[in-house]
Amino acid sequence: MADSDVEVIVVGGGAAGVAAARRLYDASVRCLILEARSRLGGRALTVTDASGFALDLGCGWLHSADRNPWARVAQEQGAAIDKTPPPWMRPPLETGFPRTDHVAYREALGRFYGRLHEAAQRDADAAAATLLEPGCQWNGLINAVSTYVSGAELDRVSVKDLDRYDDSGINWRIFEGYGFVVSAYGARLPVKFDCPVRAIDRSGKRLLVYTPQGAIAADQVIMAVPTTVLAAGQIAFTPALPEKIAAAHALPLGLDDKFFMSLDGAEEFDKDIRIFGRTDSAATGGYHFRPFGRPMIEAYFGGTLATELEAGGANAFFDFAVTELVNHFGGDFAVRLKPIRVHLWGRDPFALGSYSYARPGFADCRQTLAEPVEGRLFFAGEACSSHDFSTAHGAWETGVAAAEQVIAARSR
Ligand SMILES: Cc1cc2nc3c(=O)[nH]c(=O)nc-3n(C[C@H](O)[C@H](O)[C@H](O)COP(=O)(O)OP(=O)(O)OC[C@H]3O[C@@H](n4cnc5c(N)ncnc54)[C@H](O)[C@@H]3O)c2cc1C
């Protein structure tokens, strides 16, 4: 397809952009994805390690799997779906977290979410941290879990937004990798890689999209880039779009990084079991032992801790993980661990974070961001989803919704 034949440009080839472009392509709309990286998938990224295991460095869980469109796509692609319940829905390793303590923590967490739901019904929004029970011994761990859920501690997170998140409680995984499935879904689509969009001018009859590879005209454009990219002003809009940029600032990406380590003698542990580094602090890792039964640990770090570890590079993640695990299992444990892989999402220039949360008072910005402009500039991406934000299936839904809006606009 020549550039002059393009009807719709999709900026960004992550889960949202791929889903949008597939919907357009299937409707015979001539669309083109402009992707800054040399691959599709964005924050859905599967790599293969030296042992041949597919590691998801970005999304790994098919959350709300019973209604998650990527589960259907994975099945159509012949991928193997693992339905083992996730570690956070099962009791953790007793080491360092006795059963009675775990029960007390779960009860405190339940009470916190109860207060959150109640507070979300009030007119005024607030920071979720205001709902922590003063002096509760589990506040540190509840905050640590917030860093895994939102990529940020509760003092930065909107009550209303957090309460709106919808989850069916069914979580599956894809053996071949979530990132693999997302990028394979876009395999037939027209894409220009290594093509970061720098500016979009809609002052003329057609929109002009500027990239280092030249300018391309289109009737409509779907923006499917992370909010961080919009907020950083990486793409200049003419005329300017101050309300969109303000919404993007109100919906920053929290930070979460996965760190994979090999573990000698892993069979000593149950498959798919988790342990927290500690239970009295927000600055702790979640350690998922033997994911898929593999001889490794998938460690998860979020929020301020992840930011600090990124500043130290991959070694800082390993050192921190070893220290926390040695505290539980003794000094000999260190020699059983070897680093495999981490991706620093905060330093990734085309992500600048992991997934979106809303700042207190700004939950409605998700709708503001998703609103089309003049019937020819459309917005997609996980941050545009009011109930499935921060997920790859939320990204899908917003991508398909934007494509449907484009199709409707073209038929007028
Ligand atoms: C560590 C981690 C764990 C996660 N775990 C889960 C999980 O278990 N389950 C789940 O559902 N979700 C999870 N997520 C979140 C999920 O990966 C994202 O919500 C989802 O992939 C976002 O898709 P998107 O299309 O909205 O954005 P992205 O995937 O970020 O896609 C945006 C695309 O735009 C491109 N781009 C950026 N700037 C430009 C530009 N100027 N021009 C052109 N292209 C540009 C980017 O390269 C990227 O490809 C996780 C994420 C991380 C980082």
Side-chain angles (χ1 to χ4, degrees), residues 10-18 33-45 56-63 68 70 88 148 165 172 178 182 192 195-198 211 223-226 229 234-235 253-258 300-301 343 345 348-351 353-356 380-384 388-396 398:
V10 178
V11 182
V18 165
I33 297 179
L34 300 180
E35 169 53 52
R37 305 175 196 267
S38 49
R39 62 168 180 85
L40 289 176
R43 284 172 271 161
L45 169 60
D56 272 316
L57 297 171
C59 54
W61 291 97
L62 289 160
H63 295 309
N68 185 324
W70 291 114
W88 66 86
Y148 311 147
Y165 180 72
W172 299 338
Y178 206 150
V182 173
K192 268 191 203 281
C195 193
V197 168
R198 302 279 193 234
T211 80
M223 297 301 302
V225 298
V229 166
Q234 288 183 16
I235 302 173
L253 300 195
L255 187 59
D256 282 277
D257 291 319
K258 287 181 199 173
Y300 213 79
F301 303 98
H343 184 83
W345 288 103
D348 178 327
F350 304 119
S354 300
Y355 31 87
S356 68
E382 55 87 7
C384 294
D388 292 319
F389 51 82
S390 80
T391 67
H393 63 281
W396 161 295
T398 62

Side-chain angles (χ1 to χ4, degrees), residues 56-238:
D56 272 316
L57 297 171
C59 54
W61 291 97
L62 289 160
H63 295 309
S64 298
D66 48 339
R67 61 173 179 83
N68 185 324
W70 291 114
R72 180 178 46 77
V73 171
Q75 272 149 353
E76 283 166 6
Q77 290 178 3
I81 306 248
D82 183 293
K83 298 186 177 176
T84 307
W88 66 86
M89 297 190 94
R90 301 157 56 210
L93 253 180
E94 262 205 275
T95 313
F97 207 178
R99 283 289 173 269
T100 46
D101 281 358
H102 183 245
V103 168
Y105 154 68
R106 294 292 305 184
E107 285 171 0
L109 188 67
R111 290 196 299 275
F112 169 77
Y113 276 108
R115 287 191 297 273
L116 183 92
H117 185 61
E118 218 171 273
Q121 315 313 313
R122 295 181 201 133
D123 285 345
D125 196 6
T130 58
L131 302 170
L132 287 169
E133 214 172 291
C136 174
Q137 83 172 102
W138 303 113
N139 285 350
L141 192 53
I142 293 172
N143 233 331
V145 169
S146 170
T147 71
Y148 311 147
V149 169
S150 304
E153 286 77 3
L154 291 163
D155 59 345
R156 290 192 272 156
V157 175
S158 150
V159 165
K160 284 186 184 287
D161 192 57
L162 189 55
D163 183 64
R164 284 177 193 166
Y165 180 72
D166 187 22
D167 193 308
S168 74
I170 309 291
N171 300 277
W172 299 338
R173 281 170 302 173
I174 303 166
F175 191 77
E176 292 82 354
Y178 206 150
F180 175 80
V181 166
V182 173
S183 56
Y185 191 61
R188 281 186 295 137
L189 298 170
V191 188
K192 268 191 203 281
F193 288 111
D194 304 307
C195 193
V197 168
R198 302 279 193 234
I200 297 178
D201 185 345
R202 58 180 205 289
S203 50
K205 195 158 177 286
R206 300 190 88 207
L207 291 113
L208 276 176
V209 179
Y210 292 90
T211 80
Q213 299 182 31
I216 308 173
D219 302 329
Q220 283 102 2
V221 170
I222 296 178
M223 297 301 302
V225 298
T227 50
T228 41
V229 166
L230 296 174
Q234 288 183 16
I235 302 173
F237 293 96
T238 309

